């Protein structure tokens, strides 16, 4: 099998599921490139809402909740890493190149279809969230310059529709990157950007705490007019934190880029653990110092809510880094959906030249590349649709909360756990089965509460 991995193949568009005899590319990924992909997917829009989330939960529950979500993410990732090869997780001949392929193999067609609904919705929702966040950050640059020139009391109100359209236009072009195996460079650039604005947000938070001379905030978090209002905010905060760790759905695609030996599952577990430790460190620092700096006045988005006004050029640079990072982050979440759609159409219409044929295309100053008409149309329509929905619901915290709550339990807990039961042949009502199921039910309850709170926030924001 190893001797066949380097062979090139031009058609069909997507290789058949789990066919070890045909390898359309040479796997060259390492732990470091895998970590870059993970960090690109994890440290994204979610990090900017963590100071607000910490403020709703307070000094004890806030950081503790972030750590708990990190631990469950590592737990889920380790279960999924062993699902890549089958039947043996280290040397099995079959490969599950995507989350849905693994679900189909271990759990069957019925649950694969159920999983597919959540998975595609999650990936699609990630594109919407990243479109919203990029527009908010681009608008923040314009507002920052306005505040610098006109003073901090100026109105400086701007819309974000134009920025969403511009981001969508960029994504239409970038979306023509064939797949994960051709975008390691984009993930590396995006990772650098994510570290840049995370450091800036952290640095500004520390500077603000020093300037204030006091650590703001309380154990109980931000107060509310009633217990019900407080619960809505707490539940929404849980949804925002859940959104901050959403990479289980792309884990197997990333693992499929790794070379071996050593076995892919070993390298992926190391990459996952390292990336989550790094992400969690930044999450705790950004969330903690943001809350310490602003207390009850903590903005929903740390770098665009204008808790910070100066130095304005640093705010501009940080928000520019966010936009560049989200260009890559959008692709990390869109590529699996692209692959799914293109695979389905390729299998449905195997004789269609529009779907399966590639044609040489050359633009001035750009190397020649192979253009597929269906890919161009399908990915362009996808980007347009995410942009339109983002324009209808441009609410940062609420959208992140809904997406995080809706997808956390089924995709990060339920399906990985059920596949683990089948793979390890764990019977019902054994000690391990009871412990895992109890843990799953607790996570389900948290997800339901977070979804209720986030939906309430989204409805209120839309109606107001």
């Amino acid at each position: 099998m190893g001797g066949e991995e380097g062979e090139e193949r031009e058609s069909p568009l997507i290789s058949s599921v789990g066919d070890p005899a045909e390898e359309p590319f040479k796997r060259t990924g390492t732990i470091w490139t895998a970590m870059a992909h993970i960090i690109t997917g994890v440290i994204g829009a979610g990090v900017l809402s963590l100071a607000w989330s910490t403020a709703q939960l307070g000094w004890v529950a806030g950081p503790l909740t972030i750590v708990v979500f990190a631990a469950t993410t590592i737990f889920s990732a380790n279960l999924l890493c062993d699902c890549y090869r089958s039947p043996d997780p280290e040397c099995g001949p079959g490969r599950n190149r995507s989350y849905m392929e693994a679900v189909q193999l271990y759990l069957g067609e019925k649950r694969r279809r159920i999983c597919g609904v959540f998975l595609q919705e999650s990936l699609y929702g990630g594109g919407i969230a990243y479109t919203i966040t990029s527009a908010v950050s681009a608008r923040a640059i314009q507002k920052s310059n306005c505040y610098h020139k006109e003073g901090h009391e100026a109105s400086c109100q701007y819309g974000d529709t134009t920025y969403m359209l511009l981001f969508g236009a960029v994504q239409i072009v970038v979306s023509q990157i064939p797949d994960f195996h051709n975008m390691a460079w984009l993930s590396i650039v995006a990772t650098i950007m994510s570290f840049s604005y995370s450091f800036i947000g952290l640095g500004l938070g520390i500077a603000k705490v020093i300037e204030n001379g006091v650590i703001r905030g309380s154990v109980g978090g931000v107060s509310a007019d009633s217990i019900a209002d407080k619960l809505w905010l707490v539940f929404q905060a849980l949804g925002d934190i859940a959104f901050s760790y959403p990479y289980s759905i792309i884990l197997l695609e990333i693992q499929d880029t790794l070379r071996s030996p050593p076995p892919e599952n070993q390298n992926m577990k190391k990459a996952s653990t390292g990336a989550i430790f790094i992400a969690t460190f930044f999450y705790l620092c950004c969330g903690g110092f943001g809350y310490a700096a602003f207390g009850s006045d903590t903005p929903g988005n740390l770098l665009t809510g204008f808790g910070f006004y100066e130095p304005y050029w640093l705010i501009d640079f940080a928000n520019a880094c966010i936009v560049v990072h989200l260009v890559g982050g959008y692709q990390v979440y869109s590529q699996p959906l692209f692959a799914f759609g293109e695979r389905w159409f390729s299998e449905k219409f195997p004789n269609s030249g529009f779907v399966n044929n590639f044609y040489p295309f050359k633009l001035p100053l750009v190397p020649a590349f192979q253009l597929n008409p269906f890919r161009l149309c399908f990915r362009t329509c996808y980007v347009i649709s995410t942009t339109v929905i983002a324009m209808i619901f441009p609410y940062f915290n609420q959208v992140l909360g809904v997406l995080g709550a809706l997808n956390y339990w089924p995709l990060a807990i339920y399906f990985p756990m059920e596949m683990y039961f089948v793979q390890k042949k764990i019977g019902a009502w054994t000690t391990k089965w009871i412990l895992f199921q109890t843990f799953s039910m607790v996570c389900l309850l948290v997800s339901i509460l977070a979804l209720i709170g986030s939906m309430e926030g989204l409805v209120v924001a839309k109606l107001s």
Side-chain angles (χ1 to χ4, degrees), residues 172-183:
I172 288 175
V173 176
V174 180
S175 291
Q176 298 310 308
I177 295 174
D179 51 42
F180 262 125
H181 304 273
N182 299 96
M183 59 179 290

Side-chain angles (χ1 to χ4, degrees), residues 4 8 86 161 179 307 338:
E4 295 174 349
E8 296 293 332
S86 60
T161 300
D179 51 42
F338 292 159

Side-chain angles (χ1 to χ4, degrees), residues 74-97:
I74 292 176
F75 169 74
S76 169
N78 285 341
L79 297 184
L80 274 176
C81 288
D82 288 337
C83 294
Y84 174 63
R85 283 189 179 270
S86 60
D88 184 85
E90 293 189 358
C91 56
R95 294 178 189 266
N96 297 303
R97 301 187 182 107

Side-chain angles (χ1 to χ4, degrees), residues 9 27 30 48 65 259 297 364 366 387 453:
R9 182 174 62 86
R27 295 176 175 84
T30 65
L48 303 172
T65 301
R259 65 185 178 212
D297 297 322
V366 177
T387 304

Side-chain angles (χ1 to χ4, degrees), residues 10-25:
E10 294 190 9
S11 64
L13 183 61
I14 300 294
S15 61
S16 59
V17 175
D19 182 2
E22 289 193 73
E23 296 294 341
F25 44 76

Side-chain angles (χ1 to χ4, degrees), residues 19 362 431:
D19 182 2
K362 180 73 173 71
T431 302

